[in-house]
Amino acid sequence: MTAGETSGAEKEQPKQELLPPEHIQELQQSSAEQLQAELKKILGFTNHQICMKEAVLLDYYVCGFWWAKEANFTPTQASFTMAVLYKVLDNIREKQMSLVDNMVEFSKALSAACRSSTSEESTSSLLDSEEAAALTRFISNSLFQKYRLYQLLFTTPREELLTGVEKTIDVFCCQDPLTPLEQGISTHLCLQ
């Protein structure tokens, strides 16, 4: 294979641009708060305290990274996990893929990572079958089971929801504002 050619397995794997393995190794030593602060910088989130979309995405990535750390993934495997998390979310946000299509894309990336890659040093795959099954369970529980919510998060503008709902509030004027609501008796009887 020449330098300009890529194999089918390399085309299927998501690019590990979000967090390269060198950066992952540093982050694996950090606390959850430090990880969250670093991911905020990497992702460019400045309004996660008031923007629901940024808060959800930050939580999604922090949970994904922490899961990979607790699963004892190597930095390369954790980088792949973060890339997969990014890819499946990007499929919802940019391509507006259906659940089935996104699951197919995920399975292609996972099968490419499980295929053996030959290099000069060793012949091994990025993930073994147990690690791939664990990653599949995590993605299924964290994203695919809540797929419709993520679709709504990315496709429905929050401002539209807030301005599109009309509420009518009736204010009742009462003579004695301290009247207990539960009993419905006058205040002087309640205080006796």
Side-chain angles (χ1 to χ4, degrees), residues 22-37:
E22 304 81 38
H23 200 143
I24 296 275
Q25 198 163 11
E26 296 170 17
L27 290 175
Q28 284 179 332
Q29 306 305 321
S30 62
S31 67
E33 293 80 22
Q34 293 168 331
L35 173 66
Q36 184 176 12

Side-chain angles (χ1 to χ4, degrees), residues 15-168:
K15 294 185 175 95
Q16 299 176 357
E17 296 168 354
L18 182 64
L19 288 171
E22 304 81 38
H23 200 143
I24 296 275
Q25 198 163 11
E26 296 170 17
L27 290 175
Q28 284 179 332
Q29 306 305 321
S30 62
S31 67
E33 293 80 22
Q34 293 168 331
L35 173 66
Q36 184 176 12
E38 187 65 26
L39 283 176
K40 278 191 296 191
K41 278 196 299 187
I42 292 169
L43 297 168
F45 291 161
T46 56
N47 297 326
H48 73 284
Q49 298 290 349
I50 56 174
C51 178
M52 182 176 65
K53 190 180 294 186
E54 283 187 12
V56 167
L57 292 175
L58 182 61
D59 183 60
Y60 176 76
Y61 287 119
V62 168
C63 288
F65 185 89
W66 208 258
W67 174 86
K69 179 181 175 179
E70 289 182 351
N72 295 322
F73 275 19
T74 66
T76 305
Q77 291 171 326
S79 181
F80 172 78
T81 300
M82 296 303 289
V84 167
L85 294 176
Y86 182 81
K87 181 176 174 134
V88 293
L89 273 183
D90 190 54
N91 288 343
I92 299 171
R93 179 180 35 231
E94 299 299 324
K95 298 176 184 175
Q96 297 182 358
M97 280 189 179
S98 69
L99 173 61
V100 173
D101 292 339
N102 210 351
M103 289 177 89
V104 168
E105 288 294 315
F106 170 69
S107 65
K108 286 179 185 177
L110 198 60
S111 67
C114 291
R115 281 190 216 126
S116 62
S117 61
T118 57
S119 67
E120 299 157 1
E121 300 155 8
S122 65
T123 303
S124 64
S125 60
L126 182 60
L127 298 172
D128 63 23
S129 60
E130 289 177 15
E131 293 164 338
L135 180 59
T136 301
R137 281 190 302 276
F138 174 74
I139 297 279
S140 293
N141 292 334
S142 67
L143 180 85
F144 291 146
Q145 286 184 356
K146 302 167 185 84
Y147 200 80
R148 183 70 180 130
L149 293 174
Y150 282 102
Q151 284 179 319
L152 289 172
L153 179 72
F154 291 126
T155 58
T156 306
R158 181 88 174 134
E159 298 79 24
E160 184 179 302
L161 288 175
L162 293 176
T163 58
V165 176
E166 185 177 318
K167 297 281 183 182
T168 304

